[in-house]
Amino acid sequence: MTGITGSTALWYASRATGVVTLLLLTTVVVLGILVNRQGRLPGLPGFAVTGLHRNVSLLAVAFLAIHVVTAIADPYVTIGLAAAVLPFASPYKPLWLGLGAISLDLVAALILTSLARARISRRAWRGIHWLAYAAWPLAVVHSLGSSPDARSGLVLGVLTGCVLAVAFALAWRLSRAAREIPRAARAAATLSRMPARKADL
């Protein structure tokens, strides 16, 4: 039995950090879907939700950085630093790695705009924040296309679980939104329950 070489260690590190990154990104997306307009989750105060979302996001970024660095350093394939950030620039599996690069760029845009949030409008920040949700499906497709071991076994199970988690969270949010009374209707209902004032004689 041969030992683990530097190359195989990088390969395993790249695959493992890719899977962990996807799990963390899925958690961030699920939290973002479940949080209501007041920034709360059922049973949790707003500050706890904000802290959880921020900490999981930072952890996802850390694992994403390790995933990219180990993929570039792995001598088995030639990816290069430019291909990690420029879509479809990689000579190795350009489509699948290109989708991963777009996902990385969206996450980077979200980080940069969050750091500069005080200097940009809330509307612009929210637009970029919503756009960053596209990073998750791109990461899923990137995983399926770039890694043959993601099409069977444990890794496929993890990918399937991630997709189901987001689908269930989205279904729950949509069903909750369908049951909510629109703001205008809530105001009208509140006014209708108020006792009528007697006209002054």
Side-chain angles (χ1 to χ4, degrees):
M1 187 170 117
T2 59
I4 295 179
T5 64
S7 177
T8 54
L10 288 170
W11 185 90
Y12 282 118
S14 177
R15 293 296 187 272
T17 53
V19 171
V20 174
T21 300
L22 186 61
L23 284 168
L24 292 170
L25 283 177
T26 301
T27 304
V28 171
V29 170
V30 168
L31 284 172
I33 292 171
L34 295 181
V35 168
N36 62 22
R37 289 186 183 124
Q38 288 77 36
R40 294 182 180 178
L41 279 172
L44 285 177
F47 72 88
V49 174
T50 302
L52 180 63
H53 191 271
R54 179 173 52 246
N55 290 336
V56 175
S57 298
L58 290 173
L59 200 57
V61 169
F63 273 93
L64 178 59
I66 298 170
H67 173 64
V68 171
V69 168
T70 52
I72 292 171
D74 186 358
Y76 180 72
V77 292
T78 303
I79 295 176
L81 181 59
V85 293
L86 296 175
F88 316 113
S90 172
Y92 175 75
K93 296 187 177 182
L95 174 62
W96 307 119
L97 292 180
L99 294 176
I102 295 173
S103 180
L104 174 65
D105 293 343
L106 290 173
V107 171
L110 179 59
I111 294 168
L112 293 174
T113 53
S114 293
L115 291 173
R117 189 172 179 180
R119 296 184 177 90
I120 62 176
S121 70
R122 179 170 174 80
R123 186 174 181 178
W125 181 85
R126 283 180 66 84
I128 295 169
H129 197 87
W130 278 103
L131 184 63
Y133 275 105
W136 179 81
L138 288 171
V140 171
V141 177
H142 160 75
S143 300
L144 283 170
S146 62
S147 177
D149 55 344
R151 297 169 202 164
S152 63
L154 180 61
V155 179
L156 180 60
V158 170
L159 286 173
T160 304
C162 289
V163 172
L164 289 175
V166 171
F168 281 129
L170 191 57
W172 179 86
R173 181 63 185 264
L174 291 174
S175 67
R176 187 179 175 95
R179 292 193 304 268
E180 284 181 354
I181 302 172
R183 185 177 297 177
R186 285 200 306 268
T190 303
L191 289 173
S192 69
R193 287 195 297 269
M194 293 176 66
R197 294 180 61 188
K198 292 182 179 179
D200 294 329
L201 296 176

